[in-house]
Every structure is written in C-alpha cells, then in structure tokens.
Amino acid sequence: MNNAAKTPAKRWYLWQGKDQQDRMQRGEIFATGTAMVNAQLRRQGIISAQVRIKPRSRVQAIREKEVALFTRQLAAMLKAGIPLLQSFEIVARSQSNETLAKLIRTLRDDIETGSSLHQALARHPKQFDALYCNLVAAGEQAGMLDTLLASLANHKEKILHIKSQIRTAMIYPAAIIACAVLVTAVIMIWVVPSFKQVFSSFGASLPWATQVVIYASDFLVSDGWILAALAVLMSTLLMRLWRKSPIWRHRAAYGLLRLPLLGRIARNSAIARWTRTLSTMFGAGVPLVDALRAVAGASGNAAFADSTAVIVQQVSDGVSLAASLEQTALFPGMVGQMVAIGEESGTLDQMLDKVADFYEIEVNEAVASLSIMLEPIIMLVLGVIIGGLVIAMYLPIFKLGSIV
C-alpha cells in the first residue's frame, strides 16, 4: 500500500507580535498551519508572535460580474508590463469582495509554488469554467495572455449584458403580479369577511358571483395555509428537480424553446452565446473540435449542448461546420450560410462574431417588444380580477338599492 498523505487545507491565521525594533505588528497569513505561520513570521523578523485561526465571517458570493471585472483588471495589468504575481497582488487589494480577494491571493500562491495560471484557475471550477481555463491555456501557450484575457473579459461582459436584458424584462411583470397577488389576498382575507357580515343582515339570497367570492374567502381564511404549504412544496420540488435531475433539466430546456414568445428569446440568446463563445475560442487559436467541446455548455441550454455533441462528432469525422449546423434544427439557415462564408474565406471567427452581434440585437429587440406587450396584458388581467371582485361584492348592494 502506497497511500499518499493528504496535504492540509490552507486557512487564514491572525497574528500579532513585535518586530526587531520592538514595535507591535499584526496581520493575516494564509497557511496550512501555525508552524508555517511561525516560520514565515521568523523570516520577516517577527518575534513573540501570537497566532490564532481567523474566525469565519459571512462568506460573500462571487458574482459573474466581479469575475469579468477581475479578468479585465488582470489583462490591463499584464498589458502594462506588470509581472503576473505582482498583478495578482494589486488586483486583490482593489477588491471590495473579501471572498474574491482571498481567491485571487490563493491563485497567486498556487502560481508562486509552480502551477501555471490555467492550472490554478482549474482548481476553482465554480468561478472559472472549462471555457475560461482553455482560453487562458491558449494565451499562455501563444505568449499573448494579456490579449486573450481582454478577449475573455469582452466575451463575459457581452454574455452578462444578454442575461441582464432578459432579467430586466422579467422584473416588471413579476413585480406587478406579486402586487396583484398581495392585493387580492388582502381583499379576500380581510375585506370580504366584513362585507359578509353586512350581507348576513339583509336576509335575502346573494348573487351567484358574490357567493363564489365569499366561499373562496372562507376557504382562504380557514384553510389558506394549505395553499401556502402546497406553493412552498411545489417550489422546493421544482428547485430540487432542477438541481438534481438532468432529465428534468433537459425536458425543461426543450420545452422552453417551444414557448411562443419566450422560446424565441431563449433560442436567439443561446445562439448569440454559442457563436460568441466559439468565435472567442477559435480566434484564440484553439482547434475547432476542442473549441466546440468547450462551447457545448456555453449556450446555457441543454438542447444546444446535445446538438453541439452531435456537431463535434460530425466535424471530427470530416464534415464541415456549416454542413453540420444546417443539419441541426436549432440553428437557422442564416447561421450555416455565414459560417460557410467564414470557412471558405478563412475568417470563421469574424463571421461568428457578426452572427453573435446580429442575434444579440434580435434578443434586445425581442425583450423590448415583450415588455411593451406584457404591460397592457397584465394590466387587463389585473383589472378583470380585482374589478371582478369589487363588482361581485357590490352586487347585493346594487340589488338592494333597486328594490328600495
């Protein structure tokens, strides 16, 4: 048996002690244990040091936007001729997110101990996916890391812009629907019971619409917790299926593309991300088959990932990329035609960029149109629901007034 001993995990340590001039100093060190901390402090001339593990604080999530900004900053530092390790330290100091700052210093330490940049990045797949690492590896191999990092930052910023456009378009309808649900709940739980007490003194039969509203109100007041529990249960179940079930994610991805309005936006958005990513990788000198393998998950849609796997196999067998795309139902004919021109003229990356630009414009226009279209529809639905409730509750009063 030849079991290698596991390397202790690194963590942050707080220390304080006196330097050679007997002045009190304190700081933090990222190390595998107190022995390493003490050794580093001795080399710095710190004596009588007290060392303790830094208490865990609330971990800040690292957002995609922050990774894009880090990439842009690192590219600028390298372009200015600053050495890689020094660039990492400068960028780490400028971060307001402590979690990201620690990650950058961890990357610096890994590179300082002999790892290449793409190897250090690959140890953190949550922040740096295969596409990111492959592009960095290509940049290191070609000796143009600053240029590749700048291209990668452009790519991530454009992808984030598409996501932001779609997210922004959905915020307004979601807010209006949430307000409508809240107003309806207030009417049904507090307002309708007050009307019910008034109606009980009439001693006359109520219109059927009023009776339906009262029955619904009685149910919400007495058993509304059942609906709330079912809503929480369904939400939890759907989230669990999304995270744990690849089959369910595939079905949801294919189903999304079939929706009347959202399907078009989802398809165009996926095509824009797919072509933009392939353009960035192929333009960086990554072989087409390797670039396609890395692009498989870049579209953000399982249907496109499945189609990309088929395209990879066909291109590996000698079929042109344009012919493979034309055999795939997910890509419109225009994409295949532009790719064919790019393959014939040797400007595939430029043609893919033009396709991505076109579909990003399509997404922006579709999102704007969807927002304009949804606003009157939502207002009409809300008017019907809330107006219907008000009318149903005032019908008995109108009926009583006509009798009198």
Side-chain angles (χ1 to χ4, degrees), residues 55-122:
R56 289 184 178 271
S57 57
R58 186 177 65 86
V59 178
Q60 291 179 273
I62 299 176
R63 298 175 296 172
E64 287 185 78
K65 185 177 180 180
E66 292 174 321
V67 175
L69 179 59
F70 156 72
T71 307
R72 175 73 66 194
Q73 291 172 328
L74 186 59
M77 294 288 176
L78 295 176
K79 193 174 184 65
I82 300 174
L84 182 60
L85 293 177
Q86 188 177 350
S87 299
F88 271 112
E89 184 58 35
I90 295 172
V91 173
R93 288 175 184 171
S94 68
Q95 301 302 320
S96 58
N97 187 334
E98 185 62 28
T99 305
L100 179 57
K102 290 180 180 179
L103 174 60
I104 294 171
R105 290 192 174 97
T106 301
L107 294 172
R108 180 204 61 193
D109 292 343
D110 289 343
I111 295 169
E112 196 172 19
T113 55
S115 296
S116 62
L117 177 56
H118 76 273
Q119 289 172 338
L121 293 170

Side-chain angles (χ1 to χ4, degrees), residues 231-387:
V232 172
L233 182 63
M234 288 297 297
S235 301
T236 306
L237 179 61
L238 289 175
M239 290 178 62
R240 188 174 184 83
L241 283 173
W242 181 261
R243 293 174 181 172
K244 303 291 184 180
S245 174
I247 296 175
W248 196 89
R249 282 200 302 271
H250 274 67
R251 289 177 179 173
Y254 279 95
L256 176 61
L257 296 178
R258 297 189 185 98
L259 295 177
L261 296 175
L262 293 178
R264 179 189 167 200
I265 295 176
R267 183 187 298 272
N268 290 345
S269 175
I271 292 173
R273 288 198 296 265
W274 194 94
T275 51
R276 180 75 67 194
T277 305
L278 184 59
S279 168
T280 303
M281 293 205 69
F282 190 73
V286 179
L288 182 57
V289 174
D290 294 337
L292 284 168
R293 288 196 181 101
V295 167
S299 64
N301 187 285
F304 278 83
D306 293 342
S307 296
T308 304
V310 176
I311 292 171
V312 168
Q313 185 60 49
Q314 291 177 346
V315 173
S316 300
D317 294 339
V319 181
S320 69
L321 177 59
S324 299
L325 291 174
E326 288 173 356
Q327 296 174 21
T328 304
L330 291 176
F331 293 91
M334 187 270 283
V335 178
Q337 293 168 10
M338 293 286 284
V339 168
I341 295 172
E343 288 182 310
E344 292 173 5
S345 61
T347 58
L348 179 58
D349 56 332
Q350 297 175 22
M351 287 298 151
L352 287 168
D353 247 343
K354 292 182 183 298
V355 172
D357 290 338
F358 172 79
Y359 279 101
E360 284 173 4
I361 294 173
E362 285 283 302
V363 170
N364 292 340
E365 292 179 351
V367 167
S369 300
L370 181 63
S371 300
I372 295 172
M373 188 184 306
L374 281 178
E375 185 171 348
I377 293 175
I378 292 173
M379 297 306 293
L380 177 62
V381 172
L382 295 185
V384 170
I385 293 175
I386 298 177

Side-chain angles (χ1 to χ4, degrees), residues 134-164:
N134 287 339
L135 282 175
V136 169
E140 288 180 309
Q141 186 175 1
M144 45 188 293
L145 183 58
D146 57 340
T147 304
L148 262 296
L149 284 171
S151 299
L152 189 53
N154 288 332
H155 166 76
K156 294 188 78 66
E157 287 164 0
K158 288 179 178 179
I159 296 300
L160 285 171
H161 178 70
I162 294 177
K163 292 181 179 179
S164 176

